[in-house]
Each structure stands twice: as structure tokens, then as C-alpha cells.
Amino acid sequence: MSAPATRKYRPETRLVQSGILRSPFGETSEALFLTQGYVYESSAQAEARFKGEDPGYQYSRFANPTVSMFEQRMAAFEGAQAARALATGMAAVTISLMGQLKAGDHVVASKAMFGSCRYVVEEYLPRYGIASTLVNGCNLDEWKNAVRPNSKAFFLETPTNPLLEVIDIAEVAKIAHSAGAKLVVDNVFSTPLWQSPLELGADCVVYSATKHIDGQGRCLGGVVLGSEKFIMDHIHTLIRQTGPSMSPFNAWVLLKGLETLAVRVRRQTDTAATVAVALADHPKVTRLVYPGRPDHPQADIVAKQMRGGSTLVAFEIKGGKRGAFRFQDALQLVRISNNLGDAKSLITHPATTTHQRLNAAARAEIGVTDGLVRLSAGLEHPDDLVEDILTALKAV
Ligand SMILES: *Cc1c(COP(=O)(O)O)cnc(C)c1O
């Protein structure tokens, strides 16, 4: 490591200066090591490396210098002891749970979460003998009541998708720990800039790097972070042996994405807050949720655990599905896409896209009404976005 990765530096500095493995050529921009394997200087060195006595690389499913740079930069940014990169956010979520659970265990998770995460917990884990209970994450009693003697993991996402409700990480961590379970937090919606789950008591943090970490809509990626012990006990070997590894090319793109993350996320958060102000009292908007506003349903928890708002705004258009579709179709600048965290502003109608798998009752339970849309603010000028949105509302 040529650059200090210590917590002495502020996040912006860590995003640029940590996790640099400079080659003998002394390049300023990190090198892309697009290689599957590594050669050894001697038979003895190969033997030592396989025994773990020589610290070099063996094979890129296990580790790769460009992927290591991305992992080290993520760990420095998050303030975690260790990180492992994966091919996608879903690989990160799945490995973070599968790595620590076995048949006979039980997992407690909040209901309001990214569609595929819910699918893993609700449909996949039970197929391998791991029971799950879904709770309303904002109700601490539901977490407590869901505990069973075999509860080994708690899983939550906050702010939640798509309604941006905020769950008290420190309180859920206490309940998990008193039950002898570990807490995994999907921190995608707030990004490491605004929320540090490990400091609040979580044991593991996961990201889809596809979102704000790339930030320009190019590559898929995922990361799992935690203590050295958590990563070595639960994550390290599972990735090496089952192979959901990140490609060096994607790691390189994401590593460079991290350099601009703080600048982008600050700007996108300010823009989302500006949009929220413009929509708050609009006659065609029947509900608006934005973390950081005093009217947010968990404003006190936002103030306690988040350092900033969100790059997303959730709001409900008058007239249900018809109103929401008319509004989305009338937008000129904001494009319809289920992705988020991109430089381009994107909007989605959860009831018919990301959450269409759930039946009407399950959607109602988590507040996904037919009029609800979720906007991901991009890097356009905020005034242009607000104009586009207000013009489109006239079509409703
Ligand atoms: C996108 C997303 C995921 C899944 O990540 P992929 O990179 O698409 O696999 C998981 N959780 C949240 C909150 C997400 O937004």
C-alpha cells in the first residue's frame, strides 16, 4: 500500500487516496490488472503461496490487485476492517446471509426491501432449511417478537425501498445481539457518506456497487464489509470456493467511481431535497416522503443515525396508476428506469415494476400504492429537473 488508508483522513480524502497498489511504473491512475492468473518465481514460491506463507496472488477468483484496490478503498471509506467485492449487489446480499447460516437456522428481516433481497429471504433460504420471518422494520416490538431460539441473522435495509422509511439500526442491533444473532444492513439507499451501520452496531454492511458507487450506470458490482473476523469466518472462503467474484474490469470502473462519489452524492442529495420542496404542497401530490424533512415519519431516527438525506424521493400522484403513468410518460428529462444512483435522473413506478411480484395486500402493507413513484435524482441542473417534473404534473 503506497497511500495511508487511516481514519485520520476525512471521507473525501479516503475516497481518492486509499487503496492504491502502485505498480513499478508509478502510474497516477490505478492500473487495470486484467489477468486470470499469476506466475511464480520458483516451485518453492508456488508452494509457499498455496500454503498461505507467501502473501502474493494465486488466481483472480480468489483475489486480484485491481479488485483488492477497490476492496481496500471501500473498507477505508466505510471504516470497516475488511471488505470483499462481488459480481453484483445480489451476490453480496446472498453471500452475506448464506455465509453465516445453515439448515435449521432462522432469519428475521424487514418486509420493505429491494425485491430480489426479499425473494432470497422469503423464497430461497427456506428451500435450504433456513426459516425466515418478515417484520415491519419500523416496529421494534415486531423484531423482538420474531426472535426464535435458532435466530442467527437479522437483515434490514434503511432507508427502505421504495418508501424511504427509516429503521433504527442501533435498536435493531441490540435486539439481534441479545438474541445471539448478527445484523446485516443493506446500506445502498443512504450510501456510506450518510450512514455508517457498523458504528451503529451492525455486524455486516452490504452494497450494490451498481448504484452510487459506479454512479454512471456502467457496471454491476457488490461489496460485503465487516470486521476481519466476520469476513474470514463467513465470507472469504464461500466467495473463493463458489466464485461470485468481481471482474477486475468492473473493479477498476468502480474504484474510479469512488473518487467522485462524495461530490456526486452531495449534489444529488441537494437536488432531491430541492425536488421534495417543490412537490411538498403540490395539489397533485398526495404524499411525499424524503428523509431529512421534518415531516418524514421517522424524522427523529433520521436525525440520530444519518448525516444527510437521500438521493431519492418517493411521492404519490393523484389518480392512482393512471395518474402515475400519465405523469411518468409526460416527463422529458427524467427517464423511466428501475435503476437508481445514476448521473441521469430516473423514475420508477414500483407497483408495476420492482414490486409487481407482491400481491396487492403485500404491497399495501409496505405502502406501495398504485400512485407511488420513486425518483432517483441525477446530476442535471436542479432547476431543469424541477421544471420537467412540474410540467409533467400538468398532464395528470
Ligand atoms: C440494486 C439493489 C440491490 C441489488 O444489487 P444488484 O447490483 O442489482 O445485484 C440490493 N439492494 C438494494 C437496496 C438495491 O438498490
Side-chain angles (χ1 to χ4, degrees):
M1 291 288 289
S2 55
T6 66
R7 312 265 343 244
K8 168 178 138 195
Y9 295 108
R10 291 163 185 81
E12 287 78 356
T13 309
R14 299 200 294 258
L15 281 168
V16 178
Q17 293 286 353
S18 61
I20 299 174
L21 290 165
R22 208 161 257 137
S23 84
F25 295 115
E27 65 281 353
T28 46
S29 176
E30 294 75 1
L32 167 51
F33 291 97
L34 207 51
T35 182
Q36 298 169 340
Y38 306 86
V39 295
Y40 310 103
E41 278 166 18
S42 64
S43 320
Q45 190 186 42
E47 183 183 26
R49 212 161 281 179
F50 272 80
K51 276 189 180 161
E53 291 163 0
D54 181 299
Y57 292 91
Q58 286 162 270
Y59 188 53
S60 286
R61 168 152 45 80
F62 301 169
N64 166 283
T66 307
V67 178
S68 299
M69 286 192 265
F70 172 67
E71 291 171 339
Q72 287 167 9
R73 188 166 290 176
M74 272 308 300
F77 181 28
E78 187 73 37
Q81 286 175 356
R84 288 294 181 278
L86 292 114
T88 64
M90 280 322 301
V93 168
T94 307
I95 291 279
S96 74
L97 294 170
M98 295 281 252
Q100 50 172 327
L101 298 168
K102 59 179 188 323
D105 289 343
H106 173 239
V107 48
V108 188
S110 72
K111 263 177 212 161
M113 59 178 149
F114 186 74
S116 297
C117 297
R118 184 158 166 171
Y119 192 81
V120 167
V121 170
E122 212 175 11
E123 311 284 339
Y124 260 106
L125 294 182
R127 277 174 42 181
Y128 298 92
I130 299 158
S132 59
T133 304
L134 294 180
V135 299
N136 169 1
C138 295
N139 183 335
L140 294 175
D141 287 333
E142 288 200 22
W143 289 99
K144 281 183 203 146
N145 295 336
V147 169
R148 296 184 194 165
N150 56 341
S151 298
K152 290 288 158 52
F154 276 36
F155 178 64
L156 66 85
E157 175 185 319
T158 180
T160 61
N161 179 36
L163 224 80
L164 309 180
E165 290 201 302
V166 173
I167 301 174
D168 193 326
I169 297 174
E171 289 303 317
V172 176
K174 278 187 211 155
I175 300 167
H177 295 158
S178 66
K182 299 257 195 292
L183 173 63
V184 178
V185 175
D186 180 335
N187 205 32
V188 166
F189 272 41
S190 76
T191 83
L193 194 64
W194 298 143
Q195 183 169 273
S196 303
L198 297 175
E199 279 172 18
L200 295 163
D203 302 280
C204 175
V205 184
V206 293
Y207 291 98
S208 164
T210 313
K211 313 296 165 54
H212 306 86
I213 293 172
D214 177 316
Q216 294 177 65
R218 299 162 295 190
C219 288
L220 301 179
V223 204
V224 181
L225 300 111
S227 67
E228 185 72 30
K229 182 169 167 35
F230 182 90
I231 296 293
M232 291 313 292
D233 286 355
H234 304 299
I235 308 298
H236 179 79
T237 308
L238 185 57
I239 298 174
R240 288 168 69 108
Q241 304 300 349
T242 64
S245 320
M246 176 179 279
S247 85
F249 180 79
N250 287 8
W252 183 81
V253 172
L254 297 166
L255 182 69
K256 301 309 284 182
L258 281 175
E259 291 184 343
T260 58
L261 183 139
V263 178
R264 287 183 284 104
V265 169
R266 273 182 206 288
R267 166 70 178 222
Q268 288 167 298
T269 302
D270 288 348
T271 299
T274 303
V275 169
V277 169
L279 293 181
D281 298 314
H282 196 285
K284 288 181 182 160
V285 174
T286 48
R287 182 175 183 201
L288 177 127
V289 188
Y290 184 71
R293 286 177 61 82
D295 58 5
H296 185 276
Q298 294 87 29
D300 52 330
I301 305 171
V302 175
K304 190 176 78 160
Q305 76 183 22
M306 296 179 72
R307 294 179 291 269
S310 172
T311 63
L312 297 129
V313 195
F315 51 101
E316 203 174 73
I317 309 285
K318 206 171 177 172
K321 177 179 166 182
R322 202 175 130 86
F325 272 30
R326 282 207 173 193
F327 167 65
Q328 288 199 138
D329 293 339
L331 291 162
Q332 301 279 307
L333 210 50
V334 180
R335 306 320 304 251
I336 301 170
S337 172
N338 47 292
N339 202 8
L340 61 102
D342 198 310
K344 296 179 173 65
S345 289
L346 304 173
I347 197 157
T348 192
H349 181 248
T352 52
T353 60
T354 55
H355 290 68
Q356 60 133 326
R357 185 182 69 84
L358 301 180
N359 63 34
R363 283 202 298 270
E365 222 176 31
I366 58 168
V368 176
T369 57
D370 287 347
L372 186 78
V373 293
R374 185 199 72 194
L375 173 80
S376 168
L379 291 171
E380 301 90 349
H381 195 289
D383 294 350
D384 286 332
L385 272 186
V386 169
E387 278 169 29
D388 191 35
I389 291 166
L390 294 180
T391 306
L393 279 172
K394 294 192 182 125
V396 177

